[in-house]
Structure formats: C-alpha cells, structure tokens
Amino acid sequence: MAAPWTQEAAARGEEGGDGHRRGAGVGDEDSPDCILQPLSLPEGPGGSSSISEAPPSVPCIFCEERVPAAEQDKLLKHMIIEHKTVIADVRLVADFPRYILYWRKRFAEQPITDFCSVIRINSTAPLEQDNYFLLCDVLPEDRVLREELQKQRLKEILEQQHQERNDNSFRGMCMFCNEEFLGNRSVLLNHMAREHAFNIGLPDNIVNCSEFLCTLQKKLDNLQCLYCEKTFRDKNTLKDHMRKKQHRRINPKNREYDRFYVINYLELGKSWEEVQSEDDRELPDHQEDDWSDWEGRPVSAVCLFCEKRAETMETLCVHMEDAHGFDLPKIKLELGLNFYQQVKLVNFIRRQVHQCRCYGCHVKFNSRADLRTHMEEAKHTSLLPEVKTWDQPEYYFPTYENDSLLCTLSDSESDLTAQGHNGNVTIISEDTSKLQALKQSSVLNQLLLHECLKN
C-alpha cells in the first residue's frame, strides 16, 4: 500500500527533492534547492533488441492475439492455455507492455527453449506428457530487462514528481469544505491536513496528485469511508463516522494507492512496507563489539555565504569572520542563542542565500555572487533581522538535507547560560507538603542560633 502520513506509516519521507525537510506547514512553493540527477538507461539486454514504446494494446508473445493494456490477466491466461508459457512474478514487472514487446522480438529470433525453463507434467504417462515453459528472472537477460524497466519507470515518475512540485497552475477543491485552491498542490494538501486532520502524506512524496485526489473524491461521492471502506446511507452519516472513528485517513492496506507514492517505485519488487521494515542483519556474536576497523569520515561543513568547506567548526567560523565579516560565536553570545535557535538561524540564512536575497535590506539579486558582493560591501552579513523574524518553527527544517554545519553546532554550557539570560531556566521548588517538618530541619535554624550566641 502507499505511504500515507499516518500512524501506520509516519516515517515516509521527510525530505523533499528541493532539499527542504517537509512538515509543520512547510510547502513546496519555494524554489528548488537540489536538482534531481537524470537516470540513464543501460543498453538493452540481448544486443540490438531494445525496448519500444508501450502500445495501447498488448500482443501475445507468440501470435497475433491482442488485449487492452489494462487487461493483462487475459493475455496471461491466453499464453498459458494456448502456448503453455508462464511468466513468473508478473507483479514485479514495472512495465508489462514493454516487457512483452521485448520478449516477442527475442522469441522471433531464437527458440523458446534458449530462454525458458521446461516443466514437464504427467511424467508418469510418457504418451501424455506436456511441456510448459517458465520465463523468470533466473535468466540473467530477464533479470536485466526487469531492472532496466524499473529504472525507466523510476525516471518517468521522478520527472513527473518534479513537474508537479514546480507547477503553480494546480487547481483543486477541498473534499471536506469545498473551498477552491489555486497555485501549488501543496496549498490544498496542507489545508486538508491542518484544517480537517486529513493527511495523505507530504506533497513531495506524492506523484500524480490530481488523479489521487479524484480517486479519493470518487470514493466519498459513493459514500464510502476512506479508511475502513464501508458504505453509508448518506453524506452526514459518513462524515460523523469518519470523525468519531478517526477515519480521516486512507487505508494503508489498499494497494490501489501504491502508484501515487514515490517510495513504491524505488526498489524492484519491494513495497513501501518492505522498504520501511528493512533492518540491519544481526552480526555474529564475535563481531558485535569489534569496532576497531571503523574509520570515521571527517565532517565537512560548508560556509553560509560561499562554497568554502572546513572539517572543523572553529576553522569555518574563522573563515566566515575573515572573508565575510560574519562572527557566529559572537552573535551566539550576544543574543544568548541556545542550540535550537542556532539551528533556526543557520536554516534561515541558508534559505535567504539560496533565494539570492539579502536578509539585511531584503533586496533580491540575480546570482549568489552578486548577493555576496553586496552583503560584504554593505556589511549586511552581520545585519541580522529581529529575532522574531527567523526564530520560527519553519526553520527547524534544514534548507539542505546534507547540511553538515547543523551537526557541528555546539550544545555547551554557554547554551545553558544563554537560557538563563532568556529566562528559560527551569526552577524546581522544594516539597512543601510537610511545611512544619521542613522548618524544623532547615539549616537556617542553625545559622540563627549561631548568630544569637555570638551576640
């Protein structure tokens, strides 16, 4: 089943293709931070035999029988009955029509026995023996073909996802309050999650969003609960049921939704449940405590304003102060920033620089180089806006998913001092439930007695 953002599948993606971690109302309207690398296909297995475009109908591998692409079961039945050929694990074939076209061409070039395993039935009756042929991924050529089709499908899905993420011409209506939304798809999805507690997942994890919403709307129009899938007599009864039973979510076991979640296209033959449930295999007992060969990879953090990298926080801070006039330790001390405020400040600056906008004067530039030149000449790198501008929950989420600078921020005693300056120190009071006993055992009694004896 697909991966709705529910308790059953809360760990679905946390990150968007634009480098922003999604959640807490952070949509995908911002300009993308990361570019999806194009996936290139290897040459088709079997030399010159390549994969053609999928036709509207699919032919039989052996004859001219054709069926609609959506009715592949009919073709499989025909191949078993008429040609005694079975295709193993059909559900793991990412593109069935292209798969059939490939093998139709290969079988025309070579005998079927060169590719398929032969299964003999009625072996005890020599005169009535039948041979069936099994086409499966034990054959290296078939395995490579399936993997190639999977990569091609993943490439198409990522391109579609990228297009939807940056599409601001989306038009949709809320399924619960009939309010219409224009612009980016995330506006509608975030509205339903925030106002109606209906969350089908983070926008960046969804593909073919319009079709997905139409599928859900059709179920509601048919008075069907989206979670338990029971049908009710009228709309009000359905609404009360979904509200009282907390069924404002989709059924995680309904495989109909699989095609709308990117995670289901990531690995050949694995659903989102299998991907999520994968754990490290247990090591033998004698290896569990042996970490002697572990070599830590140095963390390389990137400057907030340029591409300079440094392996230590101290080196990077010296660079930012010398090259850009930005003294992070000094700002941390003067503002009394705790660890989480440092995180939000870094994410805020990262986003402003990515968008080529000066946070000191709010002027936007055509390139980061122009922005950097302006901020250094005008000394705007240290001209931070008011704390309330960047000390917001949305900046808990990294602008870049691999921002190592966030991992090097200190959580030292100075942070505790900063908390004291901000009035955030937690004070634990004494137990006053036995006040009389507390007065008798107090150390103040001894101090008072000592002073009286002195006088």
Side-chain angles (χ1 to χ4, degrees):
M1 156 46 207
W5 187 261
T6 61
Q7 292 179 350
E8 291 87 356
R12 191 62 73 256
E14 312 290 338
E15 301 174 356
D18 58 356
H20 289 74
R21 189 174 298 274
R22 298 303 181 191
V26 181
D28 52 8
E29 306 92 23
D30 290 344
S31 56
D33 290 329
C34 296
I35 300 175
L36 290 174
Q37 296 297 325
L39 301 176
S40 58
L41 291 174
E43 292 185 1
S48 61
S49 297
S50 59
I51 300 174
S52 306
E53 291 297 319
S57 62
V58 186
C60 173
I61 293 179
F62 305 97
C63 67
E64 298 307 316
E65 179 77 14
R66 303 183 74 92
V67 300
E71 299 178 6
Q72 68 180 46
D73 288 346
K74 290 185 178 180
L75 182 60
L76 295 173
K77 181 179 179 181
H78 164 80
M79 290 172 57
I80 292 175
I81 296 175
E82 301 296 332
H83 306 288
K84 297 182 173 58
T85 302
V86 179
I87 300 176
D89 297 321
V90 177
R91 67 180 183 83
L92 302 185
V93 177
D95 195 320
F96 182 74
R98 293 178 185 173
Y99 180 85
I100 292 295
L101 286 178
Y102 177 87
W103 283 117
R104 178 180 172 88
K105 186 173 183 178
R106 293 291 285 138
F107 285 175
E109 298 170 349
Q110 295 177 237
I112 187 174
T113 51
D114 289 354
F115 305 104
C116 297
S117 303
V118 179
I119 303 174
R120 294 182 178 179
I121 63 173
N122 298 329
S123 57
T124 57
L127 298 179
E128 299 179 5
Q129 282 189 1
D130 283 328
N131 290 338
Y132 279 77
F133 303 95
L134 177 65
L135 181 61
C136 63
D137 60 2
V138 172
L139 178 69
E141 184 175 347
D142 185 86
R143 178 67 183 179
V144 173
L145 173 62
R146 293 179 185 228
E147 291 176 350
E148 182 177 341
L149 291 172
Q150 176 72 13
K151 291 177 183 178
Q152 176 66 25
R153 175 57 57 86
L154 178 59
K155 178 181 178 181
E156 294 170 356
I157 289 298
L158 291 178
E159 288 175 351
Q160 175 69 19
Q161 181 204 34
H162 184 68
Q163 185 272 328
E164 291 183 13
R165 179 188 296 131
N166 296 288
D167 179 22
N168 291 319
S169 62
F170 176 84
R171 187 187 191 99
M173 185 174 292
C174 176
M175 295 184 290
F176 302 98
C177 65
N178 295 328
E179 182 178 352
E180 188 176 30
F181 292 86
L182 305 175
N184 194 277
R185 60 180 183 163
S186 63
V187 179
L188 173 57
L189 297 182
N190 290 336
H191 162 80
M192 291 194 295
R194 183 175 58 253
E195 301 298 332
H196 305 290
F198 180 74
N199 201 331
I200 59 175
L202 300 180
D204 276 349
N205 296 336
I206 296 173
V207 68
N208 297 320
C209 183
S210 296
E211 183 185 353
F212 192 8
L213 294 175
C214 288
T215 300
L216 298 177
Q217 184 65 58
K218 186 176 180 180
K219 289 181 178 290
L220 292 178
D221 292 342
N222 292 332
L223 304 178
Q224 186 178 24
C225 174
L226 298 177
Y227 182 73
C228 67
E229 302 184 339
K230 294 180 180 178
T231 302
F232 294 84
R233 65 178 182 271
D234 56 54
K235 193 170 184 179
N236 289 332
T237 306
L238 172 63
K239 288 172 61 177
D240 289 342
H241 163 80
M242 293 181 67
R243 177 178 55 83
K244 293 178 181 179
K245 296 292 185 178
Q246 296 184 351
H247 281 189
R248 284 192 174 180
R249 46 186 171 156
I250 64 177
N251 184 356
K253 297 181 180 180
N254 189 334
R255 301 294 176 182
E256 180 184 2
Y257 304 130
D258 279 5
R259 66 184 188 276
F260 301 118
Y261 290 89
V262 176
I263 192 172
N264 292 299
Y265 299 91
L266 296 183
E267 293 191 52
L268 178 63
K270 290 185 180 180
S271 67
W272 67 270
E273 292 171 313
E274 293 170 316
V275 173
Q276 276 199 311
S277 63
E278 286 182 340
D279 294 321
D280 294 335
R281 294 182 178 180
E282 294 185 3
L283 295 173
D285 294 338
H286 65 279
Q287 293 184 7
E288 287 184 355
D289 299 325
D290 184 12
W291 297 87
S292 59
D293 59 346
W294 182 278
E295 295 182 3
R297 186 176 180 180
V299 176
S300 181
V302 182
C303 173
L304 290 170
F305 306 98
C306 67
E307 289 71 34
K308 172 70 177 179
R309 291 178 174 271
E311 294 185 359
T312 65
M313 184 65 175
E314 292 75 15
T315 305
L316 189 61
C317 287
V318 170
H319 159 76
M320 288 193 292
E321 182 179 2
D322 294 343
H324 310 293
F326 183 82
D327 191 345
L328 182 58
K330 181 180 178 182
I331 292 173
K332 171 187 169 183
L333 184 62
E334 288 180 348
L335 298 180
L337 303 182
N338 58 33
F339 172 75
Y340 297 103
Q341 289 174 316
Q342 295 177 64
V343 168
K344 288 187 278 189
L345 176 60
V346 168
N347 290 331
F348 168 78
I349 295 175
R350 290 280 196 215
R351 186 177 300 184
Q352 299 301 307
V353 172
H354 169 72
Q355 296 173 345
C356 299
R357 182 183 292 111
C358 175
Y359 53 73
C361 61
H362 309 293
V363 176
K364 191 166 185 179
F365 294 85
N366 294 326
S367 67
R368 296 188 190 181
D370 294 341
L371 171 66
R372 186 163 59 247
T373 301
H374 159 77
M375 295 186 73
E376 291 173 1
E377 291 178 352
K379 300 187 183 301
H380 282 183
T381 52
S382 58
L383 188 61
L384 292 174
E386 295 183 13
V387 173
K388 65 181 181 180
T389 302
W390 52 264
D391 192 5
Q392 299 294 330
E394 64 182 292
Y395 296 114
Y396 276 125
F397 304 95
T399 301
Y400 298 101
E401 61 180 352
N402 58 344
D403 192 353
S404 301
L405 178 58
L406 298 174
C407 302
T408 61
L409 297 174
S410 63
D411 191 9
S412 59
E413 293 182 358
S414 60
D415 293 328
L416 299 178
T417 305
Q419 290 181 2
H421 293 160
N422 292 333
N424 293 331
V425 176
T426 302
I427 300 175
I428 302 176
S429 63
E430 292 181 329
D431 182 9
T432 57
S433 59
K434 299 180 180 179
L435 187 58
Q436 189 62 33
L438 183 63
K439 289 180 179 179
Q440 293 177 356
S441 60
S442 174
V443 69
L444 294 177
N445 294 330
Q446 299 179 9
L447 294 176
L448 289 173
L449 179 61
H450 181 69
E451 289 296 324
C452 291
L453 293 176
K454 284 176 60 177
N455 297 331

